[in-house]
Amino acid sequence: MNELIKIENLHKTYPDGHVHALFGIDLTIKQNEYIAIMGPSGSGKSTLLNMIGGLDVPTSGSLSVHADNIGIVFQSFYLLPTLTAVENVQMPMFETSLNAKSREEKALELLSYVEMSHRPHHLPSYLSVGEKQRVAIARALANDPELILADEPTGNLDSHTAQEVLTLFDTLHKDNGKTLIVITHDMSVAKRADRIIHMLDGKLV
Amino acid sequence: MRTILTGIGIAVAVGTTVALVGVASEFERQALDTFKKRGEDIVIIAADVPNQLSSELDETIAQKIGALPEVALVSPGLIDAIAFHFHYVLVQGWAVNNPAFNDFTMESGRLFTKDDTYPALLGATVAKQLEKKVGDPIRIKGKQFTVVGIYKSFSVYDNDSIIVKIEELQKLMSREGSVTGFSVVLKDAADAQSVSEKINNLHAGIIALPTEEYIAQSSHIRMIRAMAYLTTIIALFIGTINMANTMAMSVVERTREIGILRAIGWKKWRIVKMIVFESLILSIVFGAIGTACAAIAYRFFSKIPQVGGFIEGTIPANILGLGMLLAAIVGLIGGLFPAIRASRLIPTEAIYHE
């Protein structure tokens, strides 16, 4: 398998200089791997995920991600509250050459894929937490990403809904060949991954 | 509410600019029209004076100018501004045979003849403002004149003037033998530049200019134009600051939304485009409202006597276009800096922003 992510001696210190979130991380992730990152709060899991997703910049070290598109799923979903489910899913597609009709068709297909075709025109405030997370996953898949990053995707879900989401992740990994990196505190979630990485105080252990 | 207040500010700034630039442009157009419709190609006044009101020339110069082979006609003119009940009116001294009389339509009475003593012709606007009719007396510089006719002209300047015999006005102004300027009709209007240079070399202390140049260099027109441009700059500045403030506040309030958009893959440039587009829409919509209000106000003011008939018709399309351009500039510049700031937000910090 090809190398998708290569991280060498990655450091992250926040601007006040006192919080050293990552200490010399070295990590290689191959295509179509399913990785779980575990560790206590403040261990640097989310910081590492944000660096891989391009949401934050490292202080030093090197990080290369060979993926054209990355989809991100957050614990708190972060749907735009004034847009409907189908509109939220369309948002990443504005960076593509799809026209409005194609964007809507594709968004509806994705909602159908995550079993949300029954409520495409509802605002997030009218959706259950499980439905919100499904919409967020559909949005993460909008530009057909090679890499999906999920920061505690089941953290706010009940056990039944969590299982449904995890089954969806399994399908994305096994049937669609996506590379997944999932942050979790839950060992039952981590066990579904190909590899578990543990972090403590900004280091891999 | 903040957006509406900002929009109103932009509408007022753009509307004021459109109205002022429209008035300046109308002044210039009216003045040029007056010369052009009479076929007057060159205006001559004394050198080193700001306008014709301050000019004084020997009327015999007309003979020298009239002798030039390219010249068809030289008309002397004497102009003064006189206050009637705090309203300034132009008093023009014309020769009895001035061909410009042919452009007048008499509303009542008649033109003056060489046999009349101290006759006065009143433009329609002045007659209305001073509530004068044919046969009424009118005091000009302490001398009683009699209104012999009330006329209407294509020129708003003439409609706002009183015309008396040139020799009688010279006496009243203690300027016998002198005039404030000459207007020259050429056999071929295309010679205006070259004949102007010839006239300038003919007599020291005078300046002859083709009518377009004379209008452009007139101190009144330049002052009005300067005021209009100054207002435009101030409006642009205030509008831009106002818009930048509103958009900056909007960016602060939408920090999380911007962070989410960045996190789901939006590039920095798309964030810039989104905010600038919103700013442009806001300023163009309210700029259009301001421009429309200015056009309506202009039309209203052109019909009231207090304006003296100095503005007529409607604001030209290019001035309305200037208003919209101004609104677009305000939207673009006002939105650009907050947009750049928004695009530089680090997504993780923006998402967790409270």
Side-chain angles (χ1 to χ4, degrees):
Chain A
M1 279 190 289
N2 293 329
E3 202 172 74
L4 189 71
I5 299 166
K6 185 156 182 71
I7 299 169
E8 289 177 308
N9 196 25
L10 196 74
H11 287 261
K12 175 67 183 178
T13 307
Y14 284 101
D16 61 7
H18 298 299
V19 181
H20 209 138
L22 297 177
F23 281 96
I25 301 288
D26 293 297
L27 180 66
T28 302
I29 295 172
K30 293 187 172 126
Q31 261 183 348
N32 199 26
E33 265 199 291
Y34 187 167
I35 305 285
I37 302 177
M38 297 193 77
S41 296
S43 60
K45 309 182 295 295
S46 293
T47 304
L48 179 60
L49 200 79
N50 289 336
M51 301 282 163
I52 295 169
L55 306 186
D56 206 345
V57 285
T59 308
S60 65
S62 81
L63 165 70
S64 54
V65 180
H66 305 289
D68 291 331
N69 288 312
I70 302 172
I72 304 179
V73 180
F74 299 95
Q75 181 180 1
S76 301
F77 329 122
Y78 294 133
L79 298 176
L80 293 171
T82 53
L83 302 183
T84 63
V86 72
E87 288 167 342
N88 264 288
V89 177
Q90 286 179 65
M91 292 311 281
M93 297 181 211
F94 281 92
E95 285 292 348
T96 68
S97 57
L98 291 177
N99 61 29
K101 190 166 178 283
S102 305
R103 281 200 301 266
E104 188 171 6
E105 282 171 3
K106 191 174 176 188
L108 289 168
E109 272 175 35
L110 288 165
L111 284 174
S112 173
Y113 180 74
V114 297
E115 296 177 12
M116 269 299 294
S117 53
H118 60 297
R119 311 193 81 185
H121 301 296
H122 285 68
L123 290 171
S125 54
Y126 293 97
L127 301 176
S128 69
V129 284
E131 287 172 332
K132 285 179 191 170
Q133 193 60 297
R134 286 173 189 278
V135 174
I137 292 168
R139 183 181 64 183
L141 298 172
N143 289 340
D144 194 22
E146 294 149 271
L147 173 64
I148 295 169
L149 308 175
D151 192 351
E152 303 205 36
T154 58
N156 282 332
L157 306 181
D158 61 65
S159 59
H160 175 71
T161 312
Q163 282 307 313
E164 287 179 347
V165 167
L166 292 171
T167 305
L168 187 59
F169 280 0
D170 289 343
T171 310
L172 287 169
H173 171 234
K174 286 177 184 152
D175 300 347
N176 299 84
K178 308 286 184 197
T179 306
L180 272 96
I181 303 176
V182 177
I183 290 179
T184 183
H185 283 106
D186 187 341
M187 184 50 85
S188 68
V189 174
K191 276 182 178 168
R192 303 173 86 116
D194 301 330
R195 180 156 60 116
I196 300 173
I197 293 168
H198 291 274
M199 288 190 73
L200 186 65
D201 297 335
K203 296 174 189 166
L204 300 185
V205 290
Chain B
M1 177 56 83
R2 189 180 60 227
T3 305
I4 290 170
L5 289 175
T6 301
I8 290 170
I10 289 166
V12 170
V14 171
T16 308
T17 301
V18 167
L20 269 174
V21 175
V23 167
S25 146
E26 180 66 5
F27 261 65
E28 202 166 340
R29 188 190 67 76
Q30 291 278 4
L32 195 59
D33 256 20
T34 303
F35 287 115
K36 286 289 168 196
K37 283 184 180 166
R38 292 203 174 122
E40 291 167 349
D41 303 304
I42 295 172
V43 177
I44 301 163
I45 60 169
D48 306 323
V49 294
N51 54 51
Q52 201 170 344
L53 281 173
S54 321
S55 172
E56 185 161 3
L57 296 171
D58 184 342
E59 66 182 338
T60 59
I61 296 169
Q63 289 155 14
K64 282 189 196 174
I65 299 163
L68 291 171
E70 299 91 341
V71 173
L73 183 71
V74 182
S75 299
L78 183 64
I79 301 175
D80 200 4
I82 295 172
F84 287 93
H85 309 293
F86 305 105
H87 176 76
Y88 272 91
V89 172
L90 287 177
V91 178
Q92 301 190 47
W94 283 17
V96 173
N97 59 352
N98 192 324
F101 280 126
N102 297 331
D103 302 323
F104 288 180
T105 306
M106 298 309 293
E107 285 199 341
S108 59
R110 57 175 176 79
L111 296 175
F112 53 63
T113 65
K114 64 181 171 47
D115 299 326
D116 289 318
T117 310
Y118 292 106
L121 289 167
L122 269 58
T125 311
V126 172
K128 202 170 176 184
Q129 282 170 344
L130 301 181
E131 297 175 345
K132 296 285 182 189
K133 57 185 189 301
V134 172
D136 284 352
I138 182 166
R139 288 195 84 78
I140 300 170
K141 285 190 167 283
K143 182 75 185 174
Q144 186 164 302
F145 283 71
T146 305
V147 178
V148 296
I150 293 169
Y151 64 86
K152 183 107 176 129
S153 166
F154 62 80
S155 162
V156 291
Y157 294 100
D158 287 347
N159 287 334
D160 207 38
S161 292
I162 297 172
I163 296 173
V164 297
K165 286 182 170 177
I166 189 167
E167 60 274 17
E168 289 175 352
L169 187 58
Q170 282 172 328
K171 253 188 223 167
L172 284 179
M173 293 171 74
S174 306
R175 287 166 74 166
E176 284 95 339
S178 72
V179 293
T180 47
F182 302 98
S183 53
V184 178
V185 178
L186 297 176
K187 289 172 184 162
D188 183 355
D191 296 331
Q193 194 65 50
S194 60
V195 176
S196 293
E197 283 163 21
K198 250 186 188 178
I199 294 170
N200 286 331
N201 294 328
L202 205 64
H203 193 92
I206 66 169
I207 182 155
L209 290 168
T211 46
E212 290 90 345
E213 270 185 56
Y214 172 73
I215 299 296
Q217 292 186 17
S218 154
S219 61
H220 294 112
I221 299 286
R222 278 191 298 172
M223 190 177 74
I224 294 166
R225 208 189 282 155
M227 279 171 61
Y229 288 148
L230 192 66
T231 309
T232 304
I233 291 166
I234 293 170
L236 195 67
F237 181 74
I238 293 172
T240 304
I241 297 291
N242 206 3
M243 179 57 81
N245 178 56
T246 298
M247 294 314 291
M249 292 292 286
S250 168
V251 165
V252 169
E253 286 167 5
R254 293 163 62 193
T255 298
R256 173 174 284 196
E257 177 191 326
I258 292 162
I260 292 169
L261 291 171
R262 293 276 289 120
I264 63 172
W266 276 34
K267 305 242 175 350
K268 287 182 177 181
W269 177 232
R270 184 163 293 278
I271 300 287
V272 171
K273 277 202 289 187
M274 177 183 76
I275 291 165
V276 169
F277 181 73
E278 287 173 8
S279 170
L280 267 176
I281 291 292
L282 177 66
S283 57
I284 286 173
V285 166
F286 281 95
I289 291 170
T291 302
C293 290
I296 292 164
Y298 184 93
R299 212 168 165 72
F300 171 74
F301 280 110
S302 70
K303 292 192 186 311
I304 61 170
Q306 282 81 356
V307 177
F310 269 91
I311 55 172
E312 274 187 350
T314 52
I315 298 177
N318 64 323
I319 307 289
L320 298 177
L322 173 77
M324 294 313 295
L325 179 69
L326 186 71
I329 292 171
V330 165
L332 190 68
I333 301 174
L336 194 60
F337 294 106
I340 290 170
R341 187 180 162 273
S343 74
R344 287 180 177 167
L345 289 170
I346 294 172
T348 46
E349 289 177 9
I351 283 176
Y352 300 119
H353 178 84
E354 291 299 330

